[in-house]
């Protein structure tokens, strides 16, 4: 027995030693060249850059653990001048000595601020690992090719798709803050700055010490109609900084590019609330709230998947058949909080359930016991905000539940990477009953207007490749489209023990909002996704089929 134990221990030590050496060799291959002979090229250079002085920066990082405090200080950095641009192509040859030990190499183009948000050169910086250099050898070329960031989908198609999938929103009848609009604040728009928290990664990755916000006056307008904000793009959209080799924190939401791919499109929606009161009156109170959802739509306009976000998480990413809808309008439920709170406005595709939240610290968890409380589709207890095209006949018998031809049951699974997804088990009866509800008396109001978000860098600029030939934007929303920062007077999270209240952060402006659905939600969905908290989850409550959507 002792010999067996000794043998197993020895094998474990040998295996562990081998793994460590393998990891070390993979991040620092011994056969790496001592230097690089590199040719850098720029092509399709926009005319706006003619006469500008361009340079390249090469940075090397030693960052085996990306969360390390010293991770983002380059161990070697060199700058190479390309000179003034006088044509639509330019190139530079250089030799770069490699440091002895590194894990990440970044090549960045400098001096292209004039076209930032209008033309993308691709990933900037572009990242390499030691393994990449090993495969490429010591002599290679890297080309940065500029492409217009104009949306190639015609406005008429964007408008048609956005109207087709606008939501039916369900609220508790006493919900105080209903979706409204940001246009009413247009004359009060004044950009201000605030200090970034010391731990904010942008201090290291981008050298930022401040960020922007807009503080809105607190007034209750006599009329406060609901507007829905949307953006339709090709699903094959890439954002700079999302390379698998890239260090975290280098994502650039203003540098992205579109590819047609298989023709699938993503329509993203933003719902604006004037106020967020949090899951209780004690926590996450802030001015302004942007909640969002998005759909993956086939090139012929058929819904494939739906994704909802909230609390800085993906709350749900599932097949469109797994939710209720009426004529392709998804039925979405907006939560209240508990203890009398109006709620933080998270959106779910299912009603009549709760999720217990984490207030962020032991004291507030104990005092406030925060919950998301989602309403039921109930004429006595709930109200609706509807798209304009739904008639009373459409609301006479709204299907709530799976309504499937062959009901199935779901089993929740967690894979080895910790991702939560659902699987179907057999042909068992679905646990959620189906009912038909007369919703005609539930209607509170209609969505007055759908507003298309223009590409921020192209607002009221002369078009180059846009199929509509213009980028004209109404002045009441133009400033918002271009603004990068937070919308509301609470730009930082502040805990005030003496008030027993935590003021959360006002939301990042769309389409710069930091939730991940805005640019690379649906490119390669691998499995069902939903966020789990302390008790409960936002995942599918039933699994549907072709008979679930209400035609």
């Amino acid at each position: 027995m002792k010999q067996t134990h000794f043998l197993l221990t020895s094998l474990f030590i040998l295996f562990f030693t081998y793994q460590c050496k393998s990891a070390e060799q993979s991040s620092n291959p011994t056969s790496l060249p001592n230097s690089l002979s590199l040719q850098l090229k720029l092509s399709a250079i926009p005319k706006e850059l003619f006469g500008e002085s361009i340079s390249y920066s090469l940075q090397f990082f030693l960052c085996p653990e990306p969360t390390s405090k010293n991770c983002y200080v380059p161990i070697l950095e060199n700058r190479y001048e390309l000179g003034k641009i006088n044509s639509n192509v330019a190139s530079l040859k250089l030799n770069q000595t490699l440091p002895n030990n590194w894990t990440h190499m970044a090549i960045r183009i400098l001096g292209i601020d004039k076209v930032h948000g209008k033309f993308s050169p691709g990933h900037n910086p572009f990242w390499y690992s030691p393994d990449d250099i090993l495969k490429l050898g010591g002599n290679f070329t890297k080309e940065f090719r500029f492409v217009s960031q104009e949306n190639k989908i015609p406005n008429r198609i964007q408008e048609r798709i956005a109207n087709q999938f606008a939501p039916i929103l369900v609220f508790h009848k006493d919900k105080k803050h209903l979706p409204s609009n940001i246009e009413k604040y247009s004359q009060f728009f004044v950009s201000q700055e605030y200090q970034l928290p010391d731990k904010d990664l942008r201090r290291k990755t981008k050298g930022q010490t401040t960020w922007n916000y807009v503080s809105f006056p607190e007034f209750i307008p006599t009329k406060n109609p609901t507007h829905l904000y949307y953006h339709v793009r090709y699903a094959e959209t890439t954002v700079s900084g999302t390379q698998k080799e890239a260090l975290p924190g280098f994502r650039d939401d203003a540098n992205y590019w579109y590819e047609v791919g298989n023709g699938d499109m993503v329509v993203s929606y933003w719902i604006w609330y004037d106020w967020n009161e949090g899951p209780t009156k004690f926590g996450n109170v802030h001015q302004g709230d942007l909640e969002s959802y998005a759909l993956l739509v086939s090139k012929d306009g058929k819904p494939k998947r739906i994704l909802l976000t909230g609390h800085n998480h993906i709350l749900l990413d599932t097949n469109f058949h797994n939710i209720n809808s009426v004529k392709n309008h998804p039925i979405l439920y907006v939560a209240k909080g508990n203890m009398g709170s109006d709620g933080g406005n998270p959106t779910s595709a299912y009603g009549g359930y709760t999720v217990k939240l984490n207030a962020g610290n032991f004291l507030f968890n104990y005092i406030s016991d925060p919950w998301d409380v989602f309403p039921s589709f109930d004429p006595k207890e709930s109200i609706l905000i509807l798209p304009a095209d739904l008639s009373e006949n459409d609301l006479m018998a709204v299907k709530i539940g799976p309504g499937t031809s062959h009901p199935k049951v779901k089993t929740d699974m967690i894979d080895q990477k910790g991702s939560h997804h659902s699987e179907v088990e057999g042909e068992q009866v679905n646990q959620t009953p189906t009912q038909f509800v007369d919703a005609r008396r539930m209607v509170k109001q209609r969505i007055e207007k759908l507003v298309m978000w223009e590409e921020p860098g192209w607002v009221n600029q002369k078009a180059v490749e846009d199929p509509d030939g213009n980028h004209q934007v109404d002045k009441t929303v133009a400033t918002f489209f271009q603004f990068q920062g937070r919308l509301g007077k609470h730009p930082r999270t502040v805990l005030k023990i003496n008030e027993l209240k935590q003021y959360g952060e006002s939301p990042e402006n769309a389409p710069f909002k930091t939730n991940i659905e805005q640019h690379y939600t649906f490119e390669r969905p691998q499995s069902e996704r939903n966020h789990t908290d302390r008790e409960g989850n936002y995942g599918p409550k039933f699994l549907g089929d072709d008979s679930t959507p209400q035609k």
Side-chain angles (χ1 to χ4, degrees), residues 411-460:
T411 56
D412 289 335
M413 307 289 290
I414 297 179
D415 62 24
Q416 293 180 351
K417 295 182 179 179
S419 298
H420 198 95
H421 61 282
S422 301
E423 294 183 352
V424 175
E425 189 177 82
E427 294 289 325
Q428 303 174 45
V429 177
N430 210 312
Q431 295 175 337
T432 302
T434 299
Q435 57 180 322
F436 291 86
V437 180
D438 186 342
R440 288 176 293 180
R441 294 186 178 181
M442 297 174 66
V443 179
K444 172 72 173 178
Q445 62 193 53
R446 302 273 177 165
I447 298 172
E448 183 187 78
K449 184 189 298 184
L450 269 69
V451 181
M452 182 177 67
W453 287 81
E454 176 61 87
E455 306 301 315
W458 285 98
V459 169
N460 292 329

Side-chain angles (χ1 to χ4, degrees), residues 27 30 44 46 58 77 130 137 156 208 226 243 311 321 335 372 384 411 437:
S27 61
T30 55
L58 265 66
E77 180 175 5
R156 59 180 175 80
Q208 288 180 224
T226 298
Q243 277 181 273
H311 306 310
H321 289 170
D372 280 336
L384 304 179
T411 56
V437 180

Side-chain angles (χ1 to χ4, degrees), residues 497-517:
I497 297 293
N498 60 324
E499 296 181 21
L500 283 180
K501 186 170 288 188
Q502 178 169 288
Y503 294 92
E505 295 175 328
S506 294
E508 285 281 350
N509 188 23
F512 302 107
K513 195 164 179 279
T514 54
N515 282 341
I516 68 173
E517 86 280 7

Side-chain angles (χ1 to χ4, degrees), residues 233-475:
R233 60 172 175 83
Y234 287 116
E236 290 295 326
T237 299
T238 307
V239 181
S240 180
T242 58
Q243 277 181 273
K244 62 182 178 61
E245 298 90 353
L247 285 173
F250 284 88
R251 175 176 162 170
D252 181 357
D253 289 315
N255 180 13
Y256 51 87
W257 56 98
Y258 300 124
E259 297 174 53
V260 176
N262 65 358
D264 281 359
M265 293 170 284
V266 169
V267 51
S268 294
Y269 296 92
W270 293 273
I271 304 165
W272 169 262
Y273 299 84
D274 293 334
W275 201 259
N276 179 106
E277 286 195 1
T280 73
K281 290 184 176 180
F282 297 100
N284 200 33
V285 176
H286 60 79
Q287 190 181 45
D289 201 18
L290 270 175
E291 299 296 341
S292 59
Y293 75 98
L295 282 100
L296 176 67
V297 181
S298 66
K299 63 181 179 181
D300 56 353
K302 301 293 176 60
K304 298 171 73 172
R305 294 186 73 83
I306 185 169
L307 180 142
L308 297 103
T309 65
H311 306 310
N312 292 321
H313 296 287
I314 291 175
L315 299 187
L316 176 73
D317 179 3
T318 194
N319 192 295
F320 192 76
H321 289 170
N322 291 338
I323 72 164
N324 288 127
S325 59
V326 178
K327 291 186 173 180
N328 283 323
H329 297 290
I331 299 174
L332 303 179
Y333 301 79
V334 180
K336 272 180 59 69
N338 67 335
M339 301 180 73
S341 169
D342 196 56
N345 309 316
T347 309
S348 173
Y350 309 95
Y353 76 103
T354 60
V355 176
K356 190 171 185 177
L357 304 174
N358 193 326
N361 62 79
F362 174 80
L363 176 63
F364 275 25
N365 278 333
Y366 179 78
I367 295 174
S368 62
D369 191 26
W371 291 80
D372 280 336
V373 182
F374 291 98
S376 298
F377 201 92
D378 182 352
K380 294 181 180 179
E381 298 296 328
S382 301
I383 58 175
L384 304 179
I385 294 181
L386 293 178
D389 66 337
L390 289 178
S391 67
E392 283 206 350
N393 287 339
D394 297 324
L395 303 175
M396 288 179 63
V398 178
K399 183 192 300 181
I400 301 297
T404 50
S405 303
H406 302 286
K408 300 175 182 180
V409 70
K410 74 179 181 67
T411 56
D412 289 335
M413 307 289 290
I414 297 179
D415 62 24
Q416 293 180 351
K417 295 182 179 179
S419 298
H420 198 95
H421 61 282
S422 301
E423 294 183 352
V424 175
E425 189 177 82
E427 294 289 325
Q428 303 174 45
V429 177
N430 210 312
Q431 295 175 337
T432 302
T434 299
Q435 57 180 322
F436 291 86
V437 180
D438 186 342
R440 288 176 293 180
R441 294 186 178 181
M442 297 174 66
V443 179
K444 172 72 173 178
Q445 62 193 53
R446 302 273 177 165
I447 298 172
E448 183 187 78
K449 184 189 298 184
L450 269 69
V451 181
M452 182 177 67
W453 287 81
E454 176 61 87
E455 306 301 315
W458 285 98
V459 169
N460 292 329
Q461 299 284 316
K462 185 178 179 181
V464 175
E465 297 180 14
D466 187 272
D468 298 288
N470 70 84
H471 297 288
Q472 296 175 2
V473 174
D474 189 276
K475 62 181 181 180

